[in-house]
Amino acid sequence: MAIILRLDRVMADRKISLNRLAEQVGISTVNLSNLKTGKVKAIRFSTLNSICTVLNCQPGDILEFTLDE
């Protein structure tokens, strides 16, 4: 996939746990874990908005585009 999720890196920089972020964003830890590990095909803008609000970051800090080879 050409979009890589860098949520784990941003979470580590902010020193926030999966459980705490899930609670503050309002999604299950399982869904957030799937986002963190890149096992999803889509993300809702409302979820991305909440994650960026809690982590005080931009969507580009979490999402990275690379060309498929």
Short mmCIF file of all heavy atoms in Angstrom, two decimals:
data_model
loop_
_atom_site.label_atom_id
_atom_site.label_comp_id
_atom_site.label_asym_id
_atom_site.label_seq_id
_atom_site.Cartn_x
_atom_site.Cartn_y
_atom_site.Cartn_z
N MET A 1 0.84 -1.18 0.00
CA MET A 1 0.00 0.00 0.00
C MET A 1 0.89 1.24 0.00
O MET A 1 1.94 1.26 0.63
CB MET A 1 -0.91 -0.02 1.23
CG MET A 1 -1.82 1.18 1.28
SD MET A 1 -2.87 1.24 2.72
CE MET A 1 -4.22 0.27 2.14
N ALA A 2 0.48 2.27 -0.66
CA ALA A 2 1.27 3.48 -0.81
C ALA A 2 1.18 4.42 0.39
O ALA A 2 2.01 5.29 0.55
CB ALA A 2 0.85 4.22 -2.07
N ILE A 3 0.18 4.24 1.25
CA ILE A 3 0.03 5.07 2.44
C ILE A 3 0.52 4.29 3.65
O ILE A 3 0.07 3.18 3.91
CB ILE A 3 -1.44 5.49 2.67
CG1 ILE A 3 -2.00 6.23 1.46
CG2 ILE A 3 -1.57 6.31 3.94
CD1 ILE A 3 -1.38 7.59 1.21
N ILE A 4 1.46 4.88 4.38
CA ILE A 4 2.02 4.24 5.57
C ILE A 4 1.58 5.04 6.79
O ILE A 4 1.66 6.26 6.80
CB ILE A 4 3.56 4.22 5.50
CG1 ILE A 4 4.01 3.42 4.29
CG2 ILE A 4 4.15 3.66 6.79
CD1 ILE A 4 5.48 3.55 3.99
N LEU A 5 1.09 4.33 7.80
CA LEU A 5 0.67 4.98 9.04
C LEU A 5 1.85 5.06 9.99
O LEU A 5 2.53 4.07 10.26
CB LEU A 5 -0.47 4.20 9.69
CG LEU A 5 -1.78 4.29 8.92
CD1 LEU A 5 -2.74 3.20 9.37
CD2 LEU A 5 -2.41 5.65 9.13
N ARG A 6 2.11 6.25 10.49
CA ARG A 6 3.22 6.51 11.42
C ARG A 6 2.69 6.87 12.82
O ARG A 6 3.33 7.58 13.57
CB ARG A 6 4.09 7.64 10.90
CG ARG A 6 4.72 7.36 9.56
CD ARG A 6 5.75 6.28 9.68
NE ARG A 6 6.46 6.11 8.41
CZ ARG A 6 7.14 5.05 8.11
NH1 ARG A 6 7.21 4.04 8.97
NH2 ARG A 6 7.76 4.94 6.95
N LEU A 7 1.51 6.36 13.15
CA LEU A 7 0.89 6.67 14.44
C LEU A 7 1.77 6.24 15.60
O LEU A 7 1.88 6.96 16.59
CB LEU A 7 -0.49 6.02 14.52
CG LEU A 7 -1.29 6.28 15.79
CD1 LEU A 7 -1.51 7.78 16.00
CD2 LEU A 7 -2.62 5.54 15.74
N ASP A 8 2.42 5.09 15.48
CA ASP A 8 3.26 4.60 16.57
C ASP A 8 4.39 5.57 16.89
O ASP A 8 4.72 5.81 18.05
CB ASP A 8 3.81 3.21 16.27
CG ASP A 8 4.55 3.12 14.95
OD1 ASP A 8 4.38 4.00 14.08
OD2 ASP A 8 5.31 2.15 14.78
N ARG A 9 4.97 6.17 15.86
CA ARG A 9 6.07 7.12 16.04
C ARG A 9 5.60 8.39 16.75
O ARG A 9 6.25 8.88 17.67
CB ARG A 9 6.68 7.46 14.69
CG ARG A 9 7.87 8.39 14.76
CD ARG A 9 8.51 8.61 13.42
NE ARG A 9 7.54 9.17 12.47
CZ ARG A 9 7.72 9.22 11.17
NH1 ARG A 9 8.81 8.74 10.63
NH2 ARG A 9 6.82 9.76 10.39
N VAL A 10 4.43 8.90 16.34
CA VAL A 10 3.89 10.11 16.96
C VAL A 10 3.50 9.83 18.41
O VAL A 10 3.75 10.65 19.29
CB VAL A 10 2.70 10.66 16.14
CG1 VAL A 10 2.09 11.88 16.81
CG2 VAL A 10 3.12 11.00 14.72
N MET A 11 2.92 8.67 18.65
CA MET A 11 2.55 8.30 20.02
C MET A 11 3.80 8.21 20.90
O MET A 11 3.78 8.68 22.04
CB MET A 11 1.79 6.97 20.04
CG MET A 11 0.39 7.06 19.50
SD MET A 11 -0.41 5.44 19.38
CE MET A 11 -0.39 4.91 21.08
N ALA A 12 4.85 7.65 20.39
CA ALA A 12 6.10 7.54 21.16
C ALA A 12 6.68 8.92 21.44
O ALA A 12 7.14 9.19 22.57
CB ALA A 12 7.11 6.67 20.41
N ASP A 13 6.65 9.80 20.45
CA ASP A 13 7.14 11.17 20.64
C ASP A 13 6.35 11.90 21.71
O ASP A 13 6.91 12.69 22.48
CB ASP A 13 7.06 11.97 19.34
CG ASP A 13 8.06 11.51 18.29
OD1 ASP A 13 9.00 10.76 18.64
OD2 ASP A 13 7.88 11.89 17.11
N ARG A 14 5.03 11.64 21.77
CA ARG A 14 4.16 12.32 22.74
C ARG A 14 4.07 11.55 24.07
O ARG A 14 3.42 12.01 24.99
CB ARG A 14 2.74 12.47 22.18
CG ARG A 14 2.63 13.18 20.86
CD ARG A 14 3.09 14.62 20.90
NE ARG A 14 2.70 15.37 19.73
CZ ARG A 14 3.36 15.41 18.58
NH1 ARG A 14 4.45 14.70 18.43
NH2 ARG A 14 2.95 16.15 17.58
N LYS A 15 4.70 10.38 24.12
CA LYS A 15 4.69 9.52 25.32
C LYS A 15 3.26 9.24 25.80
O LYS A 15 2.92 9.43 26.97
CB LYS A 15 5.51 10.16 26.43
CG LYS A 15 6.99 10.27 26.10
CD LYS A 15 7.77 10.90 27.22
CE LYS A 15 9.24 10.89 26.99
NZ LYS A 15 9.74 11.76 25.96
N ILE A 16 2.43 8.77 24.88
CA ILE A 16 1.05 8.44 25.19
C ILE A 16 0.81 6.97 24.88
O ILE A 16 1.27 6.47 23.85
CB ILE A 16 0.05 9.36 24.45
CG1 ILE A 16 -1.37 9.15 24.98
CG2 ILE A 16 0.14 9.18 22.96
CD1 ILE A 16 -2.35 10.20 24.51
N SER A 17 0.12 6.30 25.76
CA SER A 17 -0.14 4.86 25.58
C SER A 17 -1.32 4.64 24.64
O SER A 17 -2.15 5.54 24.43
CB SER A 17 -0.43 4.20 26.92
OG SER A 17 -1.69 4.62 27.41
N LEU A 18 -1.39 3.43 24.13
CA LEU A 18 -2.50 3.04 23.25
C LEU A 18 -3.82 3.17 23.98
O LEU A 18 -4.78 3.72 23.45
CB LEU A 18 -2.28 1.59 22.78
CG LEU A 18 -3.28 1.05 21.79
CD1 LEU A 18 -3.06 1.68 20.42
CD2 LEU A 18 -3.17 -0.45 21.68
N ASN A 19 -3.88 2.69 25.23
CA ASN A 19 -5.12 2.74 25.99
C ASN A 19 -5.57 4.17 26.26
O ASN A 19 -6.75 4.50 26.13
CB ASN A 19 -4.97 2.00 27.32
CG ASN A 19 -4.86 0.50 27.12
OD1 ASN A 19 -5.36 -0.04 26.14
ND2 ASN A 19 -4.19 -0.17 28.03
N ARG A 20 -4.63 5.03 26.63
CA ARG A 20 -4.98 6.42 26.92
C ARG A 20 -5.45 7.14 25.67
O ARG A 20 -6.44 7.89 25.70
CB ARG A 20 -3.80 7.14 27.54
CG ARG A 20 -4.13 8.56 27.91
CD ARG A 20 -3.12 9.19 28.79
NE ARG A 20 -3.53 10.56 29.05
CZ ARG A 20 -2.76 11.48 29.51
NH1 ARG A 20 -1.51 11.20 29.82
NH2 ARG A 20 -3.19 12.70 29.70
N LEU A 21 -4.75 6.95 24.55
CA LEU A 21 -5.15 7.60 23.31
C LEU A 21 -6.53 7.11 22.86
O LEU A 21 -7.37 7.91 22.47
CB LEU A 21 -4.12 7.37 22.20
CG LEU A 21 -4.41 8.04 20.86
CD1 LEU A 21 -4.52 9.56 21.01
CD2 LEU A 21 -3.34 7.69 19.84
N ALA A 22 -6.75 5.82 22.94
CA ALA A 22 -8.06 5.26 22.55
C ALA A 22 -9.17 5.87 23.39
O ALA A 22 -10.23 6.23 22.86
CB ALA A 22 -8.05 3.74 22.70
N GLU A 23 -8.93 6.01 24.69
CA GLU A 23 -9.93 6.58 25.59
C GLU A 23 -10.21 8.03 25.22
O GLU A 23 -11.37 8.45 25.15
CB GLU A 23 -9.42 6.50 27.02
CG GLU A 23 -10.38 7.03 28.06
CD GLU A 23 -9.79 6.92 29.45
OE1 GLU A 23 -9.42 5.81 29.85
OE2 GLU A 23 -9.70 7.97 30.12
N GLN A 24 -9.17 8.80 24.97
CA GLN A 24 -9.35 10.22 24.66
C GLN A 24 -9.95 10.46 23.28
O GLN A 24 -10.68 11.42 23.08
CB GLN A 24 -8.02 10.96 24.80
CG GLN A 24 -7.56 11.05 26.23
CD GLN A 24 -6.28 11.85 26.39
OE1 GLN A 24 -5.65 12.27 25.41
NE2 GLN A 24 -5.88 12.06 27.63
N VAL A 25 -9.65 9.56 22.34
CA VAL A 25 -10.20 9.69 20.98
C VAL A 25 -11.63 9.17 20.92
O VAL A 25 -12.45 9.65 20.15
CB VAL A 25 -9.30 8.95 19.96
CG1 VAL A 25 -9.96 8.84 18.60
CG2 VAL A 25 -7.96 9.66 19.84
N GLY A 26 -11.93 8.18 21.76
CA GLY A 26 -13.28 7.62 21.79
C GLY A 26 -13.46 6.44 20.86
O GLY A 26 -14.55 6.23 20.34
N ILE A 27 -12.38 5.67 20.64
CA ILE A 27 -12.49 4.44 19.86
C ILE A 27 -11.91 3.30 20.68
O ILE A 27 -11.21 3.52 21.67
CB ILE A 27 -11.78 4.54 18.49
CG1 ILE A 27 -10.28 4.75 18.64
CG2 ILE A 27 -12.39 5.63 17.64
CD1 ILE A 27 -9.53 4.71 17.31
N SER A 28 -12.20 2.09 20.27
CA SER A 28 -11.72 0.93 21.01
C SER A 28 -10.21 0.77 20.85
O SER A 28 -9.63 1.21 19.85
CB SER A 28 -12.42 -0.35 20.54
OG SER A 28 -11.95 -0.72 19.26
N THR A 29 -9.59 0.15 21.84
CA THR A 29 -8.15 -0.09 21.75
C THR A 29 -7.83 -1.03 20.59
O THR A 29 -6.77 -0.90 19.97
CB THR A 29 -7.59 -0.67 23.06
OG1 THR A 29 -8.32 -1.83 23.42
CG2 THR A 29 -7.65 0.35 24.18
N VAL A 30 -8.73 -1.94 20.27
CA VAL A 30 -8.52 -2.85 19.14
C VAL A 30 -8.47 -2.07 17.84
O VAL A 30 -7.56 -2.28 17.01
CB VAL A 30 -9.62 -3.94 19.09
CG1 VAL A 30 -9.53 -4.76 17.82
CG2 VAL A 30 -9.54 -4.85 20.31
N ASN A 31 -9.41 -1.16 17.64
CA ASN A 31 -9.42 -0.36 16.41
C ASN A 31 -8.19 0.54 16.33
O ASN A 31 -7.58 0.68 15.27
CB ASN A 31 -10.69 0.48 16.31
CG ASN A 31 -11.90 -0.34 15.94
OD1 ASN A 31 -11.77 -1.43 15.40
ND2 ASN A 31 -13.07 0.17 16.24
N LEU A 32 -7.80 1.13 17.45
CA LEU A 32 -6.62 1.98 17.46
C LEU A 32 -5.36 1.16 17.22
O LEU A 32 -4.46 1.59 16.50
CB LEU A 32 -6.52 2.75 18.77
CG LEU A 32 -5.43 3.82 18.80
CD1 LEU A 32 -5.62 4.85 17.70
CD2 LEU A 32 -5.37 4.48 20.15
N SER A 33 -5.31 -0.03 17.77
CA SER A 33 -4.17 -0.92 17.54
C SER A 33 -4.06 -1.28 16.07
O SER A 33 -2.96 -1.31 15.50
CB SER A 33 -4.31 -2.18 18.38
OG SER A 33 -3.24 -3.06 18.13
N ASN A 34 -5.19 -1.53 15.42
CA ASN A 34 -5.19 -1.82 13.99
C ASN A 34 -4.69 -0.63 13.19
O ASN A 34 -3.95 -0.79 12.21
CB ASN A 34 -6.58 -2.24 13.52
CG ASN A 34 -6.94 -3.64 13.96
OD1 ASN A 34 -6.08 -4.46 14.26
ND2 ASN A 34 -8.22 -3.92 14.04
N LEU A 35 -5.07 0.57 13.59
CA LEU A 35 -4.55 1.78 12.94
C LEU A 35 -3.05 1.88 13.14
O LEU A 35 -2.30 2.14 12.20
CB LEU A 35 -5.20 3.02 13.52
CG LEU A 35 -6.56 3.42 12.98
CD1 LEU A 35 -7.14 4.55 13.80
CD2 LEU A 35 -6.46 3.83 11.53
N LYS A 36 -2.62 1.67 14.37
CA LYS A 36 -1.20 1.81 14.72
C LYS A 36 -0.32 0.84 13.93
O LYS A 36 0.78 1.18 13.52
CB LYS A 36 -1.04 1.58 16.22
CG LYS A 36 0.35 1.79 16.74
CD LYS A 36 0.38 1.57 18.24
CE LYS A 36 1.80 1.51 18.74
NZ LYS A 36 1.88 1.15 20.13
N THR A 37 -0.81 -0.36 13.71
CA THR A 37 -0.03 -1.38 13.02
C THR A 37 -0.26 -1.38 11.51
O THR A 37 0.34 -2.18 10.79
CB THR A 37 -0.32 -2.78 13.58
OG1 THR A 37 -1.73 -3.05 13.46
CG2 THR A 37 0.10 -2.89 15.03
N GLY A 38 -1.14 -0.50 11.02
CA GLY A 38 -1.36 -0.39 9.58
C GLY A 38 -2.22 -1.49 9.00
O GLY A 38 -2.17 -1.76 7.81
N LYS A 39 -3.04 -2.13 9.83
CA LYS A 39 -3.89 -3.23 9.37
C LYS A 39 -5.27 -2.75 8.92
O LYS A 39 -6.21 -3.52 8.91
CB LYS A 39 -4.06 -4.26 10.49
CG LYS A 39 -2.77 -4.95 10.85
CD LYS A 39 -2.99 -5.94 11.97
CE LYS A 39 -1.67 -6.58 12.36
NZ LYS A 39 -1.83 -7.47 13.51
N VAL A 40 -5.38 -1.50 8.53
CA VAL A 40 -6.66 -0.96 8.09
C VAL A 40 -6.56 -0.49 6.65
O VAL A 40 -5.48 -0.20 6.14
CB VAL A 40 -7.12 0.22 8.99
CG1 VAL A 40 -7.39 -0.24 10.41
CG2 VAL A 40 -6.11 1.34 8.98
N LYS A 41 -7.69 -0.42 5.99
CA LYS A 41 -7.74 0.05 4.61
C LYS A 41 -8.26 1.48 4.52
O LYS A 41 -8.13 2.12 3.49
CB LYS A 41 -8.65 -0.86 3.78
CG LYS A 41 -8.19 -2.29 3.74
CD LYS A 41 -7.59 -2.58 2.41
CE LYS A 41 -7.24 -4.06 2.33
NZ LYS A 41 -5.94 -4.29 1.82
N ALA A 42 -8.87 1.97 5.61
CA ALA A 42 -9.46 3.31 5.61
C ALA A 42 -9.48 3.86 7.03
O ALA A 42 -9.39 3.11 8.00
CB ALA A 42 -10.89 3.24 5.06
N ILE A 43 -9.59 5.18 7.12
CA ILE A 43 -9.75 5.86 8.40
C ILE A 43 -10.76 6.97 8.20
O ILE A 43 -10.72 7.68 7.18
CB ILE A 43 -8.41 6.40 8.96
CG1 ILE A 43 -8.61 7.06 10.31
CG2 ILE A 43 -7.74 7.32 7.97
CD1 ILE A 43 -7.31 7.44 11.01
N ARG A 44 -11.68 7.12 9.13
CA ARG A 44 -12.67 8.18 9.05
C ARG A 44 -11.98 9.52 9.34
O ARG A 44 -11.10 9.59 10.20
CB ARG A 44 -13.78 7.97 10.07
CG ARG A 44 -14.65 6.80 9.78
CD ARG A 44 -15.68 6.65 10.89
NE ARG A 44 -16.47 5.46 10.65
CZ ARG A 44 -17.79 5.46 10.59
NH1 ARG A 44 -18.46 6.56 10.83
NH2 ARG A 44 -18.43 4.35 10.34
N PHE A 45 -12.42 10.54 8.65
CA PHE A 45 -11.87 11.87 8.90
C PHE A 45 -12.14 12.30 10.34
O PHE A 45 -11.31 12.97 10.95
CB PHE A 45 -12.43 12.90 7.92
CG PHE A 45 -11.79 12.84 6.57
CD1 PHE A 45 -12.57 12.79 5.43
CD2 PHE A 45 -10.41 12.87 6.42
CE1 PHE A 45 -11.99 12.75 4.17
CE2 PHE A 45 -9.82 12.82 5.17
CZ PHE A 45 -10.62 12.77 4.04
N SER A 46 -13.29 11.93 10.88
CA SER A 46 -13.61 12.31 12.26
C SER A 46 -12.63 11.64 13.24
O SER A 46 -12.20 12.27 14.21
CB SER A 46 -15.05 11.94 12.62
OG SER A 46 -15.27 10.55 12.47
N THR A 47 -12.23 10.41 12.95
CA THR A 47 -11.25 9.73 13.80
C THR A 47 -9.88 10.37 13.65
O THR A 47 -9.19 10.63 14.64
CB THR A 47 -11.17 8.22 13.43
OG1 THR A 47 -12.47 7.64 13.59
CG2 THR A 47 -10.17 7.50 14.30
N LEU A 48 -9.49 10.67 12.43
CA LEU A 48 -8.21 11.33 12.18
C LEU A 48 -8.19 12.70 12.86
O LEU A 48 -7.19 13.08 13.46
CB LEU A 48 -7.97 11.47 10.68
CG LEU A 48 -6.65 12.07 10.24
CD1 LEU A 48 -5.47 11.27 10.76
CD2 LEU A 48 -6.60 12.18 8.72
N ASN A 49 -9.29 13.42 12.78
CA ASN A 49 -9.40 14.72 13.43
C ASN A 49 -9.21 14.59 14.94
O ASN A 49 -8.46 15.37 15.55
CB ASN A 49 -10.77 15.34 13.11
CG ASN A 49 -10.92 16.71 13.71
OD1 ASN A 49 -10.05 17.56 13.56
ND2 ASN A 49 -12.03 16.94 14.38
N SER A 50 -9.86 13.61 15.55
CA SER A 50 -9.74 13.40 16.99
C SER A 50 -8.32 13.01 17.39
O SER A 50 -7.80 13.51 18.39
CB SER A 50 -10.72 12.32 17.45
OG SER A 50 -12.05 12.74 17.27
N ILE A 51 -7.70 12.14 16.61
CA ILE A 51 -6.32 11.72 16.90
C ILE A 51 -5.38 12.93 16.82
O ILE A 51 -4.55 13.14 17.71
CB ILE A 51 -5.87 10.60 15.95
CG1 ILE A 51 -6.61 9.31 16.27
CG2 ILE A 51 -4.36 10.38 16.02
CD1 ILE A 51 -6.42 8.19 15.25
N CYS A 52 -5.53 13.72 15.78
CA CYS A 52 -4.68 14.90 15.62
C CYS A 52 -4.92 15.92 16.73
O CYS A 52 -3.98 16.57 17.19
CB CYS A 52 -4.90 15.55 14.26
SG CYS A 52 -4.23 14.57 12.90
N THR A 53 -6.15 16.05 17.17
CA THR A 53 -6.46 16.96 18.27
C THR A 53 -5.79 16.52 19.55
O THR A 53 -5.12 17.31 20.23
CB THR A 53 -7.99 17.06 18.47
OG1 THR A 53 -8.59 17.57 17.27
CG2 THR A 53 -8.34 17.98 19.64
N VAL A 54 -5.93 15.24 19.88
CA VAL A 54 -5.35 14.71 21.12
C VAL A 54 -3.83 14.75 21.07
O VAL A 54 -3.18 15.12 22.05
CB VAL A 54 -5.85 13.27 21.40
CG1 VAL A 54 -5.10 12.65 22.55
CG2 VAL A 54 -7.35 13.27 21.67
N LEU A 55 -3.24 14.39 19.94
CA LEU A 55 -1.78 14.35 19.82
C LEU A 55 -1.16 15.70 19.44
O LEU A 55 0.06 15.82 19.38
CB LEU A 55 -1.37 13.29 18.79
CG LEU A 55 -1.69 11.85 19.15
CD1 LEU A 55 -1.29 10.92 18.01
CD2 LEU A 55 -1.01 11.44 20.45
N ASN A 56 -2.02 16.69 19.16
CA ASN A 56 -1.55 18.02 18.76
C ASN A 56 -0.58 17.90 17.57
O ASN A 56 0.58 18.32 17.64
CB ASN A 56 -0.90 18.75 19.93
CG ASN A 56 -0.64 20.21 19.62
OD1 ASN A 56 -1.35 20.81 18.84
ND2 ASN A 56 0.41 20.76 20.21
N CYS A 57 -1.08 17.29 16.51
CA CYS A 57 -0.26 17.07 15.33
C CYS A 57 -1.08 17.31 14.06
O CYS A 57 -2.28 17.55 14.14
CB CYS A 57 0.33 15.66 15.33
SG CYS A 57 -0.90 14.34 15.13
N GLN A 58 -0.44 17.21 12.93
CA GLN A 58 -1.08 17.34 11.64
C GLN A 58 -1.28 15.94 11.03
O GLN A 58 -0.52 15.01 11.36
CB GLN A 58 -0.21 18.16 10.69
CG GLN A 58 -0.04 19.61 11.11
CD GLN A 58 -1.35 20.36 11.04
OE1 GLN A 58 -2.10 20.26 10.07
NE2 GLN A 58 -1.64 21.11 12.09
N PRO A 59 -2.27 15.76 10.14
CA PRO A 59 -2.45 14.46 9.50
C PRO A 59 -1.18 13.95 8.82
O PRO A 59 -0.89 12.76 8.82
CB PRO A 59 -3.57 14.71 8.48
CG PRO A 59 -4.36 15.82 9.07
CD PRO A 59 -3.34 16.70 9.76
N GLY A 60 -0.38 14.85 8.26
CA GLY A 60 0.87 14.47 7.61
C GLY A 60 1.90 13.91 8.56
O GLY A 60 2.85 13.26 8.13
N ASP A 61 1.74 14.16 9.86
CA ASP A 61 2.63 13.57 10.85
C ASP A 61 2.32 12.08 11.04
O ASP A 61 3.19 11.31 11.45
CB ASP A 61 2.50 14.27 12.21
CG ASP A 61 2.89 15.73 12.15
OD1 ASP A 61 3.74 16.09 11.31
OD2 ASP A 61 2.35 16.52 12.96
N ILE A 62 1.08 11.70 10.74
CA ILE A 62 0.62 10.33 10.95
C ILE A 62 0.61 9.53 9.66
O ILE A 62 0.88 8.33 9.66
CB ILE A 62 -0.80 10.35 11.56
CG1 ILE A 62 -0.76 10.99 12.94
CG2 ILE A 62 -1.40 8.96 11.63
CD1 ILE A 62 -2.11 11.25 13.54
N LEU A 63 0.32 10.19 8.54
CA LEU A 63 0.20 9.51 7.25
C LEU A 63 1.39 9.87 6.37
O LEU A 63 1.76 11.03 6.26
CB LEU A 63 -1.09 9.93 6.54
CG LEU A 63 -2.39 9.69 7.31
CD1 LEU A 63 -3.54 10.36 6.58
CD2 LEU A 63 -2.64 8.23 7.51
N GLU A 64 1.94 8.87 5.72
CA GLU A 64 3.08 9.08 4.81
C GLU A 64 2.78 8.39 3.48
O GLU A 64 2.35 7.24 3.46
CB GLU A 64 4.35 8.52 5.43
CG GLU A 64 5.57 8.72 4.59
CD GLU A 64 6.81 8.14 5.28
OE1 GLU A 64 6.95 8.31 6.50
OE2 GLU A 64 7.61 7.51 4.58
N PHE A 65 3.02 9.08 2.39
CA PHE A 65 2.80 8.52 1.06
C PHE A 65 4.13 8.07 0.46
O PHE A 65 5.11 8.81 0.47
CB PHE A 65 2.15 9.56 0.13
CG PHE A 65 2.04 9.09 -1.28
CD1 PHE A 65 1.07 8.18 -1.64
CD2 PHE A 65 2.92 9.54 -2.24
CE1 PHE A 65 0.97 7.73 -2.96
CE2 PHE A 65 2.83 9.10 -3.55
CZ PHE A 65 1.85 8.20 -3.90
N THR A 66 4.15 6.85 -0.04
CA THR A 66 5.29 6.35 -0.80
C THR A 66 4.76 5.67 -2.06
O THR A 66 3.69 5.10 -2.06
CB THR A 66 6.12 5.32 0.01
OG1 THR A 66 5.28 4.23 0.36
CG2 THR A 66 6.70 5.94 1.26
N LEU A 67 5.54 5.74 -3.11
CA LEU A 67 5.14 5.08 -4.35
C LEU A 67 5.28 3.57 -4.22
O LEU A 67 6.26 3.07 -3.67
CB LEU A 67 6.01 5.57 -5.51
CG LEU A 67 5.82 7.02 -5.93
CD1 LEU A 67 6.84 7.40 -6.99
CD2 LEU A 67 4.41 7.23 -6.45
N ASP A 68 4.27 2.86 -4.73
CA ASP A 68 4.36 1.39 -4.78
C ASP A 68 5.38 0.99 -5.84
O ASP A 68 5.48 1.62 -6.89
CB ASP A 68 3.00 0.77 -5.15
CG ASP A 68 2.05 0.72 -3.98
OD1 ASP A 68 2.53 0.73 -2.83
OD2 ASP A 68 0.82 0.65 -4.21
N GLU A 69 6.12 -0.03 -5.54
CA GLU A 69 7.10 -0.50 -6.53
C GLU A 69 6.72 -1.83 -7.08
O GLU A 69 6.09 -2.62 -6.53
CB GLU A 69 8.48 -0.59 -5.88
CG GLU A 69 9.00 0.78 -5.52
CD GLU A 69 10.42 0.72 -4.97
OE1 GLU A 69 11.10 -0.29 -5.16
OE2 GLU A 69 10.80 1.70 -4.34
#
